[in-house]
Amino acid sequence: KGTGADFDIVSYGADRATWGAGDNADLWNHDKWREAKKAETKKSLEETAKAVNQFKADNDRYPDKLLDLVARPPYTLKKWPEGGYSKGVPKDAYDFFLIYRMPGTGGEPFDLISQGADGIEGGADENEDVWNHEKRPPKKEEPKKEEKK
């Protein structure tokens, strides 16, 4: 899964594990990885939303959790495809499990969320949250610090 650069050189930071923040942040030899990872994450969200919607179409209900797309859940279903609706519990491009909330925000039936490279709510650039829809709640503003006089 290339990034579109001629080549990739990556240092995994102090923790020697992928992604992370601060001293644990990955260092790359170029910036193309950001857009490649965001596109891969959006594709995962789209594929997962399609699987959730197929589950609903087949069973007249949404799954309780994303694991229900992989392993047949204990509640009664009308249909279960061989191999399930997903090969594994869906992850984003940063190797974090997607967050699934039902009901969703803003009248949507469900939310699927990637919390970006840092795996923490909020953020910008590679740490920005990516959703399956645009009806997300407004971003929380950081409280302003009062200036000392």
Side-chain angles (χ1 to χ4, degrees):
K1 296 181 182 181
T3 58
D6 293 334
F7 59 91
D8 297 332
I9 299 175
V10 184
S11 169
Y12 291 130
D15 64 355
R16 297 181 184 167
T18 56
W19 308 112
D23 290 341
N24 297 329
D26 295 356
L27 300 173
W28 290 69
N29 65 312
H30 58 78
D31 282 349
K32 293 182 186 262
W33 66 271
R34 286 184 172 94
E35 287 308 312
K37 290 294 182 184
K38 191 169 266 192
E40 191 178 330
T41 294
K42 286 180 180 179
K43 183 178 179 191
S44 178
L45 289 167
E46 289 169 6
E47 289 173 354
T48 304
K50 184 177 176 183
V52 168
N53 285 321
Q54 187 62 54
F55 185 103
K56 166 77 161 100
D58 290 349
N59 297 291
D60 298 326
R61 64 169 291 164
Y62 289 101
D64 290 345
K65 53 191 176 290
L66 292 180
L67 180 60
D68 294 351
L69 299 174
V70 180
R72 188 179 186 123
Y75 48 86
T76 305
L77 297 178
K78 292 181 178 183
K79 182 176 178 183
W80 181 259
E82 187 175 327
Y85 291 88
S86 179
K87 292 178 184 173
V89 178
K91 292 184 174 185
D92 61 18
Y94 309 102
D95 207 32
F96 290 112
F97 292 109
L98 296 179
I99 296 168
Y100 172 69
R101 295 183 191 144
M102 191 212 28
T105 305
E108 291 294 315
F110 61 89
D111 297 333
L112 289 170
I113 307 164
S114 162
Q115 292 183 329
D118 62 358
I120 299 170
E121 185 178 352
D125 300 321
E126 67 272 12
N127 297 326
E128 182 179 11
D129 297 351
V130 182
W131 289 52
N132 65 313
H133 59 78
E134 295 302 320
K135 295 182 181 176
R136 63 189 95 181
K139 292 181 181 179
K140 297 175 187 173
E141 290 190 28
E142 295 292 320
K144 294 182 181 178
K145 295 180 182 177
E146 291 185 28
E147 292 182 26
K148 294 182 180 178
K149 294 182 180 180

